[in-house]
């Protein structure tokens, strides 16, 4: 079953479609489809915010009692090792930044080499796929929950 995301406003729909294409390509380990999907994801405004929410939700699902440094290291190693089998350009630093960002402990001002949006877009689906495999949670549900969380945060900020 394919989710169409028609109920979402156009900017959110673009994030959902781009993210779904990238995650499905990563799940299939289809480098050609992945290389096609990543630029669209990188160009989707606020995709990083939404996918950071997806990563956070998946981390919470996989580690309901919280994460410690060993858990973060295990997620990082597992993700990088799995991705490297078909994406030899995977960068552990970018995956670590994604993990730290999802946990709210990353400050780009403290990073001498913060990843650019293209690097983030090229790595976040790899992390999402790794966490989906661990949790068994469907991506569409995580994406819906992340959109809902962003909407709640924006309502509270107004």
């Amino acid at each position: 079953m394919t989710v169409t995301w028609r109920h979402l406003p156009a900017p959110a729909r673009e994030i959902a479609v781009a993210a779904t294409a990238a995650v499905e390509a990563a799940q299939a380990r289809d480098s050609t489809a992945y290389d096609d999907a990543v630029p669209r994801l990188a160009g989707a405004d606020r995709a990083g915010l939404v996918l950071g929410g997806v990563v956070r939700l998946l981390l919470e699902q996989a580690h309901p009692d919280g994460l410690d440094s060993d858990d973060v290291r295990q997620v990082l190693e597992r993700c990088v090792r799995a991705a490297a089998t078909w994406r030899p350009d995977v960068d552990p630093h970018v995956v670590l930044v994604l993990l730290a960002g999802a946990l709210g402990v990353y400050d780009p001002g403290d990073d001498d080499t913060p990843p650019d949006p293209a690097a983030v877009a090229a790595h976040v689906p790899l992390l999402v796929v790794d966490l989906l495999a661990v949790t068994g949670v469907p991506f569409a549900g995580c994406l819906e929950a992340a959109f809902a969380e962003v909407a709640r945060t924006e309502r509270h900020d107004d």
Side-chain angles (χ1 to χ4, degrees), residues 25-136:
Q27 287 172 321
R29 296 178 178 226
D30 183 336
S31 289
T32 302
Y34 197 74
D35 290 341
D36 291 343
V38 165
R40 184 173 182 187
L41 184 59
D45 188 37
R46 303 183 76 198
L49 175 66
V50 173
L51 289 174
V54 168
V55 170
R56 186 180 64 259
L57 292 167
L58 288 168
L59 287 169
E60 290 170 356
Q61 185 80 20
H63 302 274
D65 296 327
L67 280 91
D68 62 21
S69 60
D70 286 338
D71 295 326
V72 172
R73 189 185 79 252
Q74 288 174 347
V75 172
L76 174 66
E77 288 176 357
R78 186 185 61 234
C79 175
V80 170
R81 282 191 178 121
T85 63
W86 70 283
R87 298 297 304 182
D89 58 343
V90 65
D91 183 342
H93 175 74
V94 177
V95 177
L96 180 59
V97 166
L98 294 170
L99 285 166
L103 296 170
V105 295
Y106 176 71
D107 181 357
D110 293 339
D111 190 344
D112 292 336
T113 57
D116 61 25
V120 168
H123 286 75
V124 73
L126 303 174
L127 181 56
V128 167
V129 165
D130 176 76
L131 293 168
L132 289 172
V134 169
T135 63

